[in-house]
Structure formats: C-alpha cells, structure tokens
Amino acid sequence: MPRRQAALRRAVPALGLFAAARLTGMAVLALWAWHVGRSPRALLATSLDSEWYAGIAAHGYGRTLHLAGGAVHSDLAFFPLYPGLVRAVCTVLPVTGGTAGLLVSWASAAAAAWGVYLVAERTAGRATATWLVLLWGLLPHSIVLTMAYTEPLMTALAAWSLYALLTRRWLWAGALAALAGLSRPSGIAVATAVLAAAAWELWQERGRAGARVWAAAALAPAGWLAYVLWVGWRRHDPLGGYFAVQDGWTSRFDFARGALLVVRDMLLRPAQFGFTMALVITAAGVLLFALLLLAEPERRPPLPVLVYTGVLVLITVGGSGFFESKPRFLLPAFPLLLPLAAALTRARPRAAITIAVALAGLSFCYGAYALTLARMAL
C-alpha cells in the first residue's frame, strides 16, 4: 500500500494536468453545443457507437440493421466488457445507460492516465511521463476519452497490463490483457504484447521460466478468443462468424488497400476536414512508430511496449472501413507520443508551454467540430 500511494503521489501533477485538459475540453464543447442548440450530455453519452453499447447493456445482443447498399450492422461487432460494466452501474446506481456509460468512461480515463504515467515513468522518467499524459489528453480526438466509448477502458487495461509486465507481475499482466481482449477488437494488441514478453522470458531462461509466465501467456488471449468464438458459434460459423459480422460493417483487414483507395479519392476530389485530419494523424502515427523503432537502444521502449504499439498501428493502418475513425483507433497507442514528450522535456519551458497551448486549442476546437458539425463517424 505505501508503494502504491507513493506511485499515486508521483502521478498527481500529471493527473491534474490531464483532468484540467479534459474538463476544459468538455467545457468548450458544452458552450458550443448550447450555442448551436444541442445537448452536451447527449453528444457525449448517446452519439454514434454509444447508442449501440447502451442498447446491449439494456437488452443484450440481438440488434441488426440492414442498410442501403447491402451493409448489415449487427451489435455482435461490439465486445461485451464495456456494456457489461454499464449494465452493472445501472444496477447499482439510479442512472440511465448513457450516464452510466459516461461514469465508466470517466473512471477508465482516470485509471488510464495513471497507468500511462507509470509506464512512461518507468521507461523515460517522471518529466517525460508527465508530458506524455498531458499530450495524450490533448490529442485532436481526445474528446473520445470523455465520451461513452470503449477507448478509455481499453487504454486503462492496456497501460496497467504493460506496467505489470514491466514490473514482472505476470498474472496481473495476463488477466488484464484478457479483459482488454473483451473490451475492443484491437484489445488483441495487449495479448500480443504479453505473449511477446513471455516468449522473450522463455528464451532468456532457456525454457525454464516459472509457471506464472506460462499462465500469463495462456490467460492473455483468452478474452478476445472467447468472444470471437462465441460470436462464431452464435452465427453457426465458429472460425469465420465474427469476421463476417465485421465485414457487414465494411470493416476488414486488407493490408491498407481500402485505406489507400480512400486516400486516392481524397487527392482527386475535395474531402471533409475530418478525413484530412484522419490522414494527417494516421501518417503521424506511422512516423512516430518509426521513431520509436529507430531510437537509440537506451531510449527505445521495452519490447512489450513496442509490440503493443506496433500491433495497434498495424491494425489501424491495415484495416479498411471508417477511415475517418483511424485517429480514434490510435488513441490507445499512447507510447507513440513518447518521442514528442521527450522532445518537450528537453525544450525550453516557454517553447514547450506554447506548443501545449496550441495543441489544447486544436484539441478543444476539433472536439466541438467533430461532435456538432462534422457529418461523419468519429
């Protein structure tokens, strides 16, 4: 307990900056929403995917929409941990699904910010960790961290699983990875990181690693595999059923072919601002991952962090469908910000503060734009 309290005390400045960033972002959104006659709560609690999660929490799985053009949207595409937590909150507290979703997301975002800090502190030091948490809270799509979405929950589970790996708490790492696999399709990235760490441990120990390493490796992918197989069983296609559901949402891994077609169309004709932002942010993510890989050995993140980040980048870049949502898919890939956080740590205070203020302005304005003006998925 004293060690945990000390870790929390060290993280307090970073958590305070993160809370200030997100509260200010919500305040800006609220003011603009009221100005245009929209409800801030409705925007945060019931926009887009939030309605699907609330429906699953209230009624279970079973909703399917048949859209023009042949698209089939089934709620089986959404993993069960988040709606399960929303249902639990509704059972305990006298709140509706939207409010419960916000409570789960806000608590998850706070836990995620603490976990992000601890991972970065262990790999890059306290100052860089503080900058990393602030940058994560100031990303253009960071409004999602205060919405009834799953990204805060997955990031929290991922960050704490990575921290457990870095501190050699193998069973915790495996259990948290299993939960991450129940939160989002990309939760498999956490399991991959645990498996990579376990494989490296077995290699170093010449196969003589303890039972906890083997248990972590077995636990890590269990959540993701269990849900994928359950959907397959429900669809009478154990191995392909889940992927058929995703295909109905036009979401598939095609080695970036679909994304490249979208980029081609953007170059040939005018595109919405949100698509341009998605292209810039995704390209920046690829560049930042390259910087992580090319960093000097003493500055390069540990293997599990690199594997986790790389898998998320691969899934995001190589997947088709919902091109405009790629920056949201990259939100859990917080280690991408390590090179920027390190640069701000070394920069002069005035320059660093100026950059942070500029990022805050972009983040707050883009969040309001994305939820009130943009005619596209977030």
Side-chain angles (χ1 to χ4, degrees):
M1 186 64 71
R3 185 179 300 177
R4 189 178 305 169
Q5 291 175 346
L8 181 57
R9 282 197 298 269
R10 294 196 307 273
V12 163
L15 298 181
L17 290 170
F18 177 79
R22 296 313 328 133
L23 288 172
T24 305
M26 284 197 296
V28 171
L29 170 67
L31 291 173
W32 178 252
W34 287 325
H35 174 71
V36 297
R38 305 284 296 277
S39 164
R41 180 198 172 279
L43 291 171
L44 293 172
T46 62
S47 293
L48 303 169
D49 289 356
S50 300
E51 287 190 304
W52 287 92
Y53 288 118
I56 296 168
H59 309 294
Y61 287 99
R63 181 187 179 195
T64 301
L65 296 180
H66 296 267
L67 306 179
V72 180
H73 289 183
S74 167
D75 58 8
L76 291 171
F78 298 95
F79 278 52
L81 181 60
Y82 180 80
L85 292 174
V86 170
R87 185 171 190 137
V89 171
C90 289
T91 302
V92 174
L93 300 177
V95 295
T96 61
T99 300
L102 290 179
L103 292 176
V104 172
S105 293
W106 293 349
S108 298
W114 188 13
V116 167
Y117 174 87
L118 290 176
V119 171
E121 180 191 46
R122 194 163 187 90
T123 58
R126 293 178 65 177
T128 299
T130 300
W131 273 113
L132 178 65
V133 172
L134 178 60
L135 288 174
W136 187 60
L138 291 178
L139 288 172
H141 283 66
S142 59
I143 189 65
V144 173
L145 301 177
T146 43
M147 294 176 64
Y149 267 56
T150 56
E151 278 75 14
L153 177 61
M154 180 188 151
T155 308
L157 295 168
W160 283 97
S161 180
L162 290 174
Y163 181 69
L165 285 174
L166 296 179
T167 54
R168 304 183 63 80
R169 295 174 170 90
W170 289 100
L171 292 180
W172 275 109
L176 291 168
L179 290 174
L182 288 170
S183 66
R184 286 188 55 76
S186 55
I188 191 64
V190 190
T192 308
V194 175
L195 290 171
W200 180 249
E201 182 76 8
L202 290 169
W203 172 265
Q204 286 187 314
E205 297 296 327
R206 300 295 188 269
R208 296 189 298 272
R212 293 187 178 187
V213 177
W214 289 100
L219 273 174
W224 190 88
L225 287 173
Y227 184 70
V228 168
L229 292 174
W230 178 78
V231 173
W233 171 80
R234 182 160 172 161
R235 301 273 297 191
H236 308 291
D237 182 3
L239 298 180
Y242 170 76
F243 301 101
V245 168
Q246 287 287 4
D247 193 63
W249 286 79
T250 68
S251 180
R252 63 185 71 90
F253 188 85
D254 61 358
F255 299 94
R257 182 178 180 273
L260 290 175
L261 291 175
V262 173
V263 173
R264 183 199 64 181
D265 291 342
M266 290 171 60
L267 296 175
L268 294 176
R269 60 182 62 91
Q272 291 188 56
F273 178 60
F275 279 83
T276 304
M277 282 289 290
L279 175 59
V280 170
I281 293 172
T282 304
V286 174
L287 175 60
L288 289 170
F289 183 65
L291 291 177
L292 286 178
L293 291 177
L294 297 174
E296 299 175 1
E298 62 272 14
R299 293 185 178 179
R300 192 179 303 147
L303 175 67
V305 178
L306 280 176
V307 170
Y308 165 73
T309 310
V311 173
L312 281 180
V313 171
L314 179 64
I315 292 172
T316 301
V317 174
S320 67
F322 298 99
F323 184 89
E324 65 275 29
S325 298
K326 289 185 182 295
R328 173 167 66 85
F329 299 157
L330 283 175
L331 270 178
F334 62 89
L336 290 175
L337 299 171
L338 278 169
L340 297 179
L344 289 173
T345 302
R346 297 189 297 268
R348 294 181 178 179
R350 180 176 296 181
I353 292 172
T354 300
I355 292 172
V357 170
L359 288 174
L362 173 62
S363 174
F364 303 156
C365 293
Y366 189 79
Y369 161 80
L371 286 184
T372 61
L373 298 176
R375 292 173 295 172
M376 60 183 191
L378 183 61

